Amino acid sequence: MVEDDRDRERDSRALGRRGLLRASAATGAAAALTATGAAAPASAAGAPGGTGAGAAGDAAAGDATGQGGAETRTVRGRLEPGAPDYVYVPVEVPEGIRELAVSYRYDKPSVPAGTPGNALDIGIFDERGTAPGGRGFRGWSGGFRTEFAISAERATPGYLPGPVRPGTWQVVLAPYTVAPQGLEYEVTVTLRPGPPGETPRPVYPPRRAKGRGRAWYRGDCHLHTVYSDGRRTPAEVAAAARAAGLDFITTTEHNTHSGHAAWEGLWGDDLLILAGEEVTTRNGHVLALGIEPGTFVDWRYRARDNVFGRYAARIRRAGGLVVPAHPHATCVGCNWKFGFGEADAVEVWNGPFTPDDEVTIAAWDSALVAAHGRARHLGSGRASDTGPRPGPRPAPAGPGWLPAIGNSDAHREGQDVGLPQTVVLAEDLSREAVLDGIRAGRCWIAESSEIGLSFSVTDGRGRHAGIGERLRAAPDAEVTARLEVSGAPGRTVRLITDQGQLYAAHLPASGTGTVEWRTTPGYAAYVRAEVRHPAADGGASGLPGPMAAMTNPVFLGGEPASQR
């Protein structure tokens, strides 16, 4: 979730030939700046590789030459309500540029209560272009930073170091929300000449840690640092993860993979670090979980564009999982609108437990009923993709239902890393094994590492099924669900089936207890466990208290759900 919603050539001769800094602000009247400050027409761009409408740009007259021959240009423009999602400001870069720096600002007029004000995000693409897929992507900071710089040796967090090659670069502006009065912006670009420099080779986290062999491993798969809109450094996040008793974490910065190489020296035998991205679109956020480090996943589309399938496939080709994040969050653009047919798992619990999570869990539980006898479905079904795509597209390869996970989405101090955390049964502490465990649903969620849990179902013939598995038994065969809990004083245990809650018990003051419940596959299609805090109203409303822990289901009887 976006943090703003929780609190929101070589010498001066070459520069003299440098061409222009053009403003393309997606309506009829755009402008270009030449070296003498004269304005000339420029093309408009509202979407990747396309044309949009809704803004006017004008260029500030004159050049500003600074220390060392640096040249600065400023472009001003206006966006109206309904402006394109993405507006591109072309920047002509000559040879001999060592560093490109960008700053921007925009107005924030007062708006009536309940009306969104102005919020303008920013990023940049290099001379390779803005075509879908992001080949030219060089960074994104959303609304978190007002300036950034890129050179071969280094880049502002959120951006990728590398050569500043000659050609047309594109500053991308993304009007997240526009006030009724419109949004006036100003973009300033400085080109600093000098030797090109060398780009350091990125050092990525290893694919495995020492681990404990086949075991339950605790992790947080949704975390932010200063490489997007977080306020913690990677070192601070790694320290917080260890303090929370975690075995693995995933870095998931908004719309950038620049943080993948920021963890050198922070992993160890005790901590596995996975690469990811929170793909932040206008119609919801999705975690690209456990992708190959250095992979970028584009975010410039809406559900109506019918292209999400190709980006989900890109995530899977990069070895990752497709996990919609906080699907019922209420912030603008946060609610998941793409359907769940492309998902490998779903984040049902995001940060401290809220009504949003309760709604998500209810929707997820309803989908388990359908999953008992047919292919996975949650809400609006499989996202369509009518666009062209080369070759076969990888599809979800899970158990035929949608496993649930929980993550902290922590951005800063006061937001606890590991609240909640996903506990995964994995063959070892490696990227592949952890992702396999999540994909199979062999996982449960806890608010902290203080809570321990074991849940299984057995039948009279000694057959056993654990979390995420299926116990094949006759419809009338008696089976026993057994839940062991520790570290949960004063909590209530609930067993949930396709009919709803069919068993509840209070844990003793010690917080340690075991419950058993008998049923048949004919009576319960599945059973899952919850551990809840007491309800704030003492139970008068009939609503349960906040979640402390929950499992994925154990399915009972029948054949496995349809495979895809």
Side-chain angles (χ1 to χ4, degrees):
M1 191 178 297
V2 179
E3 171 63 6
D4 290 346
D5 295 314
R6 283 192 180 195
D7 301 316
R8 217 186 154 336
E9 143 192 282
R10 295 180 183 92
D11 55 28
S12 59
R13 182 178 61 182
L15 279 174
R17 309 194 296 264
R18 80 175 187 87
L20 41 97
L21 168 66
R22 296 176 295 174
S24 169
T27 73
L33 288 181
T34 66
T36 61
S43 61
T51 299
D58 72 85
D63 297 327
T65 301
Q67 185 177 10
E71 190 164 349
T72 297
R73 293 295 182 129
T74 298
V75 174
R76 300 178 183 91
R78 178 178 175 84
L79 299 170
E80 300 294 346
D85 289 346
Y86 305 104
V87 173
Y88 294 85
V89 179
V91 179
E92 291 297 335
V93 177
E95 292 187 4
I97 297 303
R98 174 183 61 84
E99 182 182 76
L100 180 151
V102 178
S103 64
Y104 82 119
R105 61 184 182 180
Y106 58 93
D107 66 332
K108 298 180 181 180
S110 298
V111 295
T115 301
N118 285 336
L120 185 64
D121 294 345
I122 195 168
I124 196 167
F125 290 76
D126 65 19
E127 84 290 346
R128 292 171 294 179
T130 63
R135 182 170 177 264
F137 177 78
R138 291 297 293 271
W140 175 263
S141 49
F144 189 61
R145 300 182 185 277
T146 60
E147 59 186 17
F148 61 86
I150 297 173
S151 69
E153 299 94 340
R154 63 185 64 85
T156 301
Y159 295 81
L160 304 174
V164 182
R165 293 180 290 261
T168 304
W169 290 49
Q170 304 275 357
V171 174
V172 55
L173 301 176
Y176 187 64
T177 55
V178 178
Q181 302 96 313
L183 183 155
E184 295 185 356
Y185 65 85
E186 179 180 288
V187 177
T188 299
V189 178
T190 299
L191 301 177
R192 298 187 174 99
E198 294 185 6
T199 303
R201 184 175 181 176
V203 179
Y204 296 129
R207 303 172 74 94
R208 64 176 62 244
K210 184 177 180 180
R212 305 181 297 278
R214 180 179 171 86
W216 291 94
Y217 294 101
R218 296 176 180 264
D220 191 338
C221 296
H222 188 168
L223 291 163
H224 298 278
T225 73
V226 295
Y227 281 80
S228 62
D229 63 342
R231 289 176 168 80
R232 289 184 175 107
T233 65
E236 289 169 334
V237 169
R242 288 182 165 98
L246 301 184
D247 302 295
F248 66 93
I249 57 174
T250 307
T251 169
T252 55
E253 309 295 0
H254 290 284
N255 292 352
T256 182
H257 58 297
S258 70
H260 290 181
W263 299 83
E264 185 175 3
L266 299 177
W267 56 77
D269 288 347
D270 62 332
L271 186 64
L272 175 70
I273 301 176
L274 307 182
E277 180 185 333
E278 184 170 7
V279 183
T280 306
T281 80
R282 295 304 177 91
N283 288 156
H285 302 185
V286 61
L287 302 176
L289 198 164
I291 53 179
E292 190 69 28
T295 300
F296 170 69
V297 183
D298 210 333
W299 27 264
R300 294 169 295 161
Y301 44 85
R302 294 194 189 197
R304 65 192 181 199
D305 299 321
N306 294 322
V307 297
F308 177 66
R310 71 181 69 169
Y311 295 105
R314 175 167 175 76
I315 293 170
R316 282 190 283 272
R317 281 194 294 265
L321 301 182
V322 178
V323 184
H326 46 70
H328 290 89
T330 57
C331 52
V332 174
C334 296
N335 193 291
W336 185 246
K337 303 290 188 180
F338 293 87
F340 291 81
E342 293 287 355
D344 296 298
V346 59
E347 184 185 75
V348 302
W349 182 354
N350 175 277
F353 199 78
T354 66
D356 297 350
D357 302 313
E358 198 74 75
V359 172
T360 302
I361 290 170
W364 167 76
D365 182 84
S366 294
L368 294 176
V369 178
H372 180 66
R374 64 178 187 268
R376 142 184 12 203
H377 174 82
L378 181 58
S380 55
R382 188 178 186 88
S384 61
D385 180 0
T386 58
R389 57 182 182 267
R393 189 180 80 201
W401 53 277
L402 201 57
I405 67 172
N407 303 301
S408 73
D409 196 5
H411 287 71
R412 63 180 188 274
E413 293 300 325
Q415 297 176 356
D416 294 341
V417 173
L419 172 58
Q421 55 197 251
T422 301
V423 191
V424 184
L425 179 60
E427 296 300 320
D428 54 43
L429 187 52
S430 68
R431 167 187 160 195
E432 289 77 9
V434 168
L435 297 185
D436 283 347
I438 294 173
R439 185 186 294 111
R442 299 192 303 267
C443 50
W444 56 279
I445 310 169
E447 65 181 1
S448 79
S449 59
E450 294 180 359
I451 296 181
L453 182 153
S454 174
F455 183 57
S456 63
V457 182
T458 58
D459 66 6
R461 300 169 61 183
R463 293 180 296 190
H464 166 279
I467 297 168
E469 297 177 339
R470 176 182 294 272
L471 180 64
R472 290 184 174 85
D476 59 351
E478 185 177 84
V479 299
T480 301
R482 179 183 175 90
L483 174 67
E484 300 177 14
V485 181
S486 63
R491 313 295 195 265
T492 297
V493 169
R494 306 169 75 221
L495 298 184
I496 313 295
T497 77
D498 55 312
Q499 298 185 67
Q501 177 186 315
L502 292 181
Y503 178 86
H506 294 288
L507 290 170
S510 66
T512 299
T514 299
V515 299
E516 291 187 350
W517 177 68
R518 292 175 175 79
T519 187
T520 65
Y523 187 64
Y526 61 85
V527 58
R528 62 180 184 85
E530 295 182 351
V531 181
R532 297 269 188 165
H533 289 272
D537 62 0
S541 65
L543 298 175
M547 196 75 72
M550 61 175 284
T551 73
N552 276 290
V554 178
F555 287 94
L556 304 178
E559 296 298 322
S562 302
Q563 301 293 307
R564 293 185 297 168

PDB file of all heavy atoms in Angstrom, residues 481-496:
ATOM      1  N   ALA A 481     -10.286 -33.280  13.627  1.00  0.00           N
ATOM      2  CA  ALA A 481      -9.443 -32.099  13.450  1.00  0.00           C
ATOM      3  C   ALA A 481      -8.797 -31.785  14.792  1.00  0.00           C
ATOM      4  O   ALA A 481      -9.494 -31.711  15.822  1.00  0.00           O
ATOM      5  CB  ALA A 481     -10.270 -30.915  12.975  1.00  0.00           C
ATOM      6  N   ARG A 482      -7.493 -31.584  14.797  1.00  0.00           N
ATOM      7  CA  ARG A 482      -6.763 -31.338  16.031  1.00  0.00           C
ATOM      8  C   ARG A 482      -5.925 -30.058  15.875  1.00  0.00           C
ATOM      9  O   ARG A 482      -5.138 -29.910  14.941  1.00  0.00           O
ATOM     10  CB  ARG A 482      -5.851 -32.509  16.367  1.00  0.00           C
ATOM     11  CG  ARG A 482      -5.016 -32.317  17.643  1.00  0.00           C
ATOM     12  CD  ARG A 482      -4.101 -33.513  17.840  1.00  0.00           C
ATOM     13  NE  ARG A 482      -3.196 -33.319  18.976  1.00  0.00           N
ATOM     14  CZ  ARG A 482      -3.468 -33.675  20.223  1.00  0.00           C
ATOM     15  NH1 ARG A 482      -4.635 -34.249  20.498  1.00  0.00           N
ATOM     16  NH2 ARG A 482      -2.585 -33.482  21.196  1.00  0.00           N
ATOM     17  N   LEU A 483      -6.117 -29.126  16.784  1.00  0.00           N
ATOM     18  CA  LEU A 483      -5.406 -27.858  16.772  1.00  0.00           C
ATOM     19  C   LEU A 483      -4.651 -27.696  18.079  1.00  0.00           C
ATOM     20  O   LEU A 483      -5.246 -27.789  19.162  1.00  0.00           O
ATOM     21  CB  LEU A 483      -6.395 -26.697  16.597  1.00  0.00           C
ATOM     22  CG  LEU A 483      -5.820 -25.286  16.705  1.00  0.00           C
ATOM     23  CD1 LEU A 483      -4.867 -25.000  15.536  1.00  0.00           C
ATOM     24  CD2 LEU A 483      -6.924 -24.240  16.750  1.00  0.00           C
ATOM     25  N   GLU A 484      -3.347 -27.443  17.976  1.00  0.00           N
ATOM     26  CA  GLU A 484      -2.534 -27.144  19.136  1.00  0.00           C
ATOM     27  C   GLU A 484      -2.047 -25.703  19.015  1.00  0.00           C
ATOM     28  O   GLU A 484      -1.531 -25.301  17.970  1.00  0.00           O
ATOM     29  CB  GLU A 484      -1.337 -28.095  19.223  1.00  0.00           C
ATOM     30  CG  GLU A 484      -1.732 -29.565  19.328  1.00  0.00           C
ATOM     31  CD  GLU A 484      -0.520 -30.478  19.330  1.00  0.00           C
ATOM     32  OE1 GLU A 484       0.607 -29.957  19.522  1.00  0.00           O
ATOM     33  OE2 GLU A 484      -0.694 -31.697  19.133  1.00  0.00           O
ATOM     34  N   VAL A 485      -2.207 -24.927  20.070  1.00  0.00           N
ATOM     35  CA  VAL A 485      -1.849 -23.509  20.053  1.00  0.00           C
ATOM     36  C   VAL A 485      -0.991 -23.193  21.262  1.00  0.00           C
ATOM     37  O   VAL A 485      -1.215 -23.728  22.357  1.00  0.00           O
ATOM     38  CB  VAL A 485      -3.107 -22.608  20.055  1.00  0.00           C
ATOM     39  CG1 VAL A 485      -2.719 -21.138  20.018  1.00  0.00           C
ATOM     40  CG2 VAL A 485      -4.017 -22.949  18.883  1.00  0.00           C
ATOM     41  N   SER A 486      -0.031 -22.296  21.070  1.00  0.00           N
ATOM     42  CA  SER A 486       0.741 -21.786  22.195  1.00  0.00           C
ATOM     43  C   SER A 486       0.975 -20.300  21.989  1.00  0.00           C
ATOM     44  O   SER A 486       0.905 -19.785  20.864  1.00  0.00           O
ATOM     45  CB  SER A 486       2.089 -22.520  22.321  1.00  0.00           C
ATOM     46  OG  SER A 486       2.885 -22.290  21.170  1.00  0.00           O
ATOM     47  N   GLY A 487       1.227 -19.592  23.093  1.00  0.00           N
ATOM     48  CA  GLY A 487       1.526 -18.167  23.013  1.00  0.00           C
ATOM     49  C   GLY A 487       0.324 -17.296  22.719  1.00  0.00           C
ATOM     50  O   GLY A 487       0.481 -16.204  22.163  1.00  0.00           O
ATOM     51  N   ALA A 488      -0.875 -17.753  23.106  1.00  0.00           N
ATOM     52  CA  ALA A 488      -2.080 -16.991  22.795  1.00  0.00           C
ATOM     53  C   ALA A 488      -3.008 -16.904  24.003  1.00  0.00           C
ATOM     54  O   ALA A 488      -4.158 -17.364  23.965  1.00  0.00           O
ATOM     55  CB  ALA A 488      -2.811 -17.630  21.615  1.00  0.00           C
ATOM     56  N   PRO A 489      -2.557 -16.304  25.102  1.00  0.00           N
ATOM     57  CA  PRO A 489      -3.405 -16.237  26.299  1.00  0.00           C
ATOM     58  C   PRO A 489      -4.660 -15.401  26.066  1.00  0.00           C
ATOM     59  O   PRO A 489      -4.610 -14.339  25.437  1.00  0.00           O
ATOM     60  CB  PRO A 489      -2.482 -15.586  27.335  1.00  0.00           C
ATOM     61  CG  PRO A 489      -1.474 -14.826  26.523  1.00  0.00           C
ATOM     62  CD  PRO A 489      -1.252 -15.629  25.288  1.00  0.00           C
ATOM     63  N   GLY A 490      -5.764 -15.890  26.554  1.00  0.00           N
ATOM     64  CA  GLY A 490      -7.021 -15.164  26.459  1.00  0.00           C
ATOM     65  C   GLY A 490      -7.655 -15.152  25.089  1.00  0.00           C
ATOM     66  O   GLY A 490      -8.653 -14.463  24.874  1.00  0.00           O
ATOM     67  N   ARG A 491      -7.131 -15.919  24.179  1.00  0.00           N
ATOM     68  CA  ARG A 491      -7.681 -15.944  22.827  1.00  0.00           C
ATOM     69  C   ARG A 491      -8.772 -17.014  22.703  1.00  0.00           C
ATOM     70  O   ARG A 491      -8.896 -17.904  23.547  1.00  0.00           O
ATOM     71  CB  ARG A 491      -6.593 -16.205  21.780  1.00  0.00           C
ATOM     72  CG  ARG A 491      -5.338 -15.382  21.929  1.00  0.00           C
ATOM     73  CD  ARG A 491      -5.557 -13.897  21.711  1.00  0.00           C
ATOM     74  NE  ARG A 491      -4.265 -13.233  21.510  1.00  0.00           N
ATOM     75  CZ  ARG A 491      -3.569 -12.648  22.455  1.00  0.00           C
ATOM     76  NH1 ARG A 491      -4.022 -12.643  23.697  1.00  0.00           N
ATOM     77  NH2 ARG A 491      -2.409 -12.059  22.187  1.00  0.00           N
ATOM     78  N   THR A 492      -9.505 -16.903  21.608  1.00  0.00           N
ATOM     79  CA  THR A 492     -10.555 -17.869  21.300  1.00  0.00           C
ATOM     80  C   THR A 492     -10.202 -18.623  20.028  1.00  0.00           C
ATOM     81  O   THR A 492      -9.761 -18.032  19.038  1.00  0.00           O
ATOM     82  CB  THR A 492     -11.903 -17.168  21.093  1.00  0.00           C
ATOM     83  OG1 THR A 492     -12.281 -16.526  22.319  1.00  0.00           O
ATOM     84  CG2 THR A 492     -12.987 -18.153  20.687  1.00  0.00           C
ATOM     85  N   VAL A 493     -10.380 -19.930  20.071  1.00  0.00           N
ATOM     86  CA  VAL A 493     -10.147 -20.787  18.906  1.00  0.00           C
ATOM     87  C   VAL A 493     -11.468 -20.992  18.182  1.00  0.00           C
ATOM     88  O   VAL A 493     -12.512 -21.224  18.809  1.00  0.00           O
ATOM     89  CB  VAL A 493      -9.570 -22.143  19.354  1.00  0.00           C
ATOM     90  CG1 VAL A 493      -9.576 -23.136  18.204  1.00  0.00           C
ATOM     91  CG2 VAL A 493      -8.168 -21.975  19.895  1.00  0.00           C
ATOM     92  N   ARG A 494     -11.433 -20.880  16.862  1.00  0.00           N
ATOM     93  CA  ARG A 494     -12.609 -21.138  16.035  1.00  0.00           C
ATOM     94  C   ARG A 494     -12.233 -22.102  14.921  1.00  0.00           C
ATOM     95  O   ARG A 494     -11.182 -21.958  14.311  1.00  0.00           O
ATOM     96  CB  ARG A 494     -13.153 -19.853  15.403  1.00  0.00           C
ATOM     97  CG  ARG A 494     -13.438 -18.738  16.372  1.00  0.00           C
ATOM     98  CD  ARG A 494     -13.716 -17.441  15.634  1.00  0.00           C
ATOM     99  NE  ARG A 494     -15.041 -17.414  15.028  1.00  0.00           N
ATOM    100  CZ  ARG A 494     -15.308 -16.933  13.827  1.00  0.00           C
ATOM    101  NH1 ARG A 494     -14.336 -16.479  13.047  1.00  0.00           N
ATOM    102  NH2 ARG A 494     -16.539 -16.912  13.371  1.00  0.00           N
ATOM    103  N   LEU A 495     -13.087 -23.080  14.647  1.00  0.00           N
ATOM    104  CA  LEU A 495     -12.922 -23.963  13.500  1.00  0.00           C
ATOM    105  C   LEU A 495     -14.005 -23.624  12.490  1.00  0.00           C
ATOM    106  O   LEU A 495     -15.202 -23.617  12.818  1.00  0.00           O
ATOM    107  CB  LEU A 495     -12.999 -25.427  13.916  1.00  0.00           C
ATOM    108  CG  LEU A 495     -11.903 -25.886  14.900  1.00  0.00           C
ATOM    109  CD1 LEU A 495     -12.030 -27.386  15.175  1.00  0.00           C
ATOM    110  CD2 LEU A 495     -10.514 -25.564  14.360  1.00  0.00           C
ATOM    111  N   ILE A 496     -13.584 -23.349  11.266  1.00  0.00           N
ATOM    112  CA  ILE A 496     -14.466 -22.855  10.212  1.00  0.00           C
ATOM    113  C   ILE A 496     -14.556 -23.898   9.106  1.00  0.00           C
ATOM    114  O   ILE A 496     -13.533 -24.445   8.669  1.00  0.00           O
ATOM    115  CB  ILE A 496     -13.949 -21.534   9.623  1.00  0.00           C
ATOM    116  CG1 ILE A 496     -13.555 -20.550  10.735  1.00  0.00           C
ATOM    117  CG2 ILE A 496     -14.966 -20.923   8.668  1.00  0.00           C
ATOM    118  CD1 ILE A 496     -14.691 -20.083  11.586  1.00  0.00           C
TER     119      ILE A 496
END
